[in-house]
Amino acid sequence: MDHIVYLDNAATTPVDPQVVQAMLPVLTGPGGNPSSHYSIGYEAKEQIDTARAQVAAALGCLPGEVYFTGGGSEADNWAIKGTARKLARQGKKHLITSAFEHHAVVHAMQALEKDGFEVTWLPVTADGFVRPEDVAAAIRPDTALVSVMLANNEIGTIQPIQEIAAICREKKVLCHTDAVQAVGAIPVNVKELGVDMLSLSGHKFNGPKGVGALYIRRGVLPDNLIDGGGQESRRRAGTENVAGIVGLGAAIELAVGHLEEKQAHLVALRDYVIGRVLANIPETRLNGDAKNRLPGNANISFAGLEGETILLDLDMRGICASTGSACNSDSLDPSHVLLAIGLPHEAAHGTMRFSFGPQNTMEEAEYLCSVLEEIIPLRRAMSPVWKPLA
Ligand SMILES: *Cc1c(COP(=O)(O)O)cnc(C)c1O
């Protein structure tokens, strides 16, 4: 291949050129503060209002229910910590989440545990799902919030959020979902889902990094996470990232348009790679349910190998992907997601995530497969722990 083959769209995505075009006039224009009372301030305010309407249209909610944040992690932290702190004043100090959430949720929950909150970590099935009946069984009179992700960022499985939200509604418990991987990949409508809060992030659907949003259903009032000026209806302080917000608005409009065609394209790439790898390379397994998963996610374990080795081999051949083991260089712990679905440590270590985006081609998928067919047997032959089945 004469170009970088980027197959790590679950980590981040390239900014769509049309999004860049939407952002440029904001970056190069007069750049007034949206809170200022003169024409260029009003202009910036209008640009934000347009983006808010674009997000609301994509999610099926009111513009006034959309709050811009500094990304998906902030949106998750706000929903969780803001709700926990608010409801703690009513004596509700119990939270429910799953064992395989994104670190933005896991670590926000753990921070609350240190502050005396109690967290129930729901188990996940071997094929990668949280069971609604487990949510129902975990809810107590002092439960403040249930937070379960809409689509898992490592194995791509899509969670039964509609059922979970219905249980929460019936038991009068607030329900948040981290939809960062889902928005732009599958249809996401907050009213159909029935959730009270939903997080999204611009850079996961070909928008800019460092900007996201939290949907907060009208009438739901988590405490503020960022205190300061009166921006975002006094609920999220800080001079707005106008260019980023405009980019997010443009990106979400593009992302939800032609969604069916885009999904069909991603499913074709995903299923080609899964089918060919599992057929041609022995002792490989797909993690997460084969059907009820994100259109662009293939998560595959290669027995007897370390993900890092595969990652480097792929990088040398111009392919960007992700391991399923250490999420950052200062940790060698296998992924909590893979452990949650019951993968043994060795299998978790030899796991790769390939995540496709609309810009990827079938030629790139074929290239990935031929590279894997070349490097996996070579590396296994060198591996001290590889013992092929007879
Ligand atoms: C990327 C991601 C986040 C974090 O979003 P940022 O905008 O990078 O802070 C949160 N949750 C999930 C599921 C993600 O994939």
Side-chain angles (χ1 to χ4, degrees):
M1 283 272 148
D2 54 358
H3 61 275
I4 295 284
V5 176
Y6 185 74
L7 304 179
D8 202 12
N9 291 272
T12 194
T13 57
V15 181
D16 188 297
Q18 287 175 264
V19 172
V20 176
Q21 284 310 311
M23 292 172 72
L24 272 177
V26 185
L27 291 164
T28 55
N33 187 316
S35 301
S36 296
H37 294 279
Y38 36 74
S39 58
I40 62 167
Y42 300 141
E43 197 182 314
K45 176 93 177 54
E46 269 169 35
Q47 290 167 331
I48 293 172
D49 288 343
T50 301
R52 202 183 308 282
Q54 287 168 314
V55 175
L59 299 180
C61 65
L62 300 167
E65 295 174 313
V66 174
Y67 298 87
F68 291 111
T69 66
S73 299
E74 184 191 322
D76 285 343
N77 272 265
W78 182 9
I80 293 164
K81 292 175 179 169
T83 304
R85 286 173 189 156
K86 157 126 184 183
L87 294 186
R89 294 193 290 274
Q90 301 169 20
K92 295 187 175 180
K93 296 196 72 176
H94 175 236
L95 307 153
I96 299 171
T97 191
S98 83
F100 78 162
E101 297 294 311
H102 187 272
H103 280 141
V105 169
V106 173
H107 293 159
M109 291 281 179
Q110 287 173 344
L112 289 168
E113 281 183 322
K114 282 192 205 151
D115 283 344
F117 287 83
E118 194 186 327
V119 178
T120 297
W121 302 88
L122 298 172
V124 181
T125 62
D127 48 1
F129 300 107
V130 175
R131 282 179 300 240
E133 56 267 36
D134 289 345
V135 175
I139 291 177
R140 317 189 310 211
D142 65 338
T143 304
L145 178 74
V146 171
S147 179
V148 175
M149 68 203 321
L150 183 47
N152 185 272
N153 49 297
E154 288 187 39
I155 58 172
T157 48
I158 298 163
Q159 303 305 307
I161 297 303
Q162 210 172 0
E163 286 97 308
I164 290 172
I167 291 165
C168 292
R169 210 161 41 247
E170 194 198 310
K171 304 216 176 192
K172 301 198 163 49
V173 173
L174 290 172
C175 181
H176 164 253
T177 190
D178 174 339
V180 173
Q181 288 289 329
V183 171
I186 57 171
V188 176
N189 180 296
V190 291
K191 297 288 166 322
E192 276 170 27
L193 289 172
V195 293
D196 298 294
M197 290 171 280
L198 177 144
S199 308
L200 58 87
S201 174
H203 75 102
K204 300 292 174 75
F205 47 82
N206 305 99
K209 298 178 194 11
V211 60
L214 181 63
Y215 156 78
I216 309 179
R217 187 169 60 75
R218 193 164 51 170
V220 175
L221 294 161
D223 279 6
N224 289 354
L225 184 70
I226 313 281
D227 293 307
Q231 292 88 358
E232 297 297 288
S233 309
R234 302 183 187 282
R235 295 178 76 175
R236 197 284 187 182
T239 302
E240 299 88 339
N241 171 6
V242 185
I245 290 169
V246 165
L248 185 148
I252 203 166
E253 194 171 281
L254 290 168
V256 301
H258 308 284
L259 190 54
E260 277 176 32
E261 278 163 57
K262 254 182 347 211
Q263 283 183 302
H265 174 63
L266 296 181
V267 166
L269 300 182
R270 176 195 78 185
D271 289 350
Y272 175 83
V273 168
I274 293 171
R276 182 164 156 187
V277 169
L278 297 197
N280 291 2
I281 308 176
E283 293 195 59
T284 46
R285 60 161 272 165
L286 175 71
N287 297 307
D289 187 76
K291 289 240 144 43
N292 196 2
R293 67 190 300 127
L294 289 172
N297 175 293
N299 184 295
I300 299 172
S301 296
F302 298 87
L305 293 175
E306 291 289 325
E308 279 70 19
T309 310
I310 305 171
L311 192 73
L312 294 175
D313 277 344
L314 292 178
D315 186 32
M316 282 192 296
R317 288 159 181 81
I319 299 172
C320 305
S322 172
T323 62
S325 54
C327 205
N328 46 55
S329 51
D330 48 63
S331 150
L332 278 175
D333 296 336
S335 142
H336 67 290
V337 173
L338 298 174
L339 297 183
I341 61 166
L343 235 62
H345 278 241
E346 312 82 70
H349 274 300
T351 298
M352 297 295 300
R353 177 188 68 190
F354 308 105
S355 48
F356 304 95
Q359 76 285 357
N360 291 128
T361 62
M362 188 53 89
E363 198 192 355
E364 292 176 329
E366 288 166 359
Y367 176 63
L368 168 69
C369 291
S370 48
V371 168
L372 288 171
E373 286 160 7
E374 174 201 339
I375 64 176
I376 300 295
L378 279 176
R379 288 294 173 185
R380 277 178 174 167
M382 295 162 72
S383 164
V385 298
W386 170 246
K387 290 181 202 70
L389 295 177

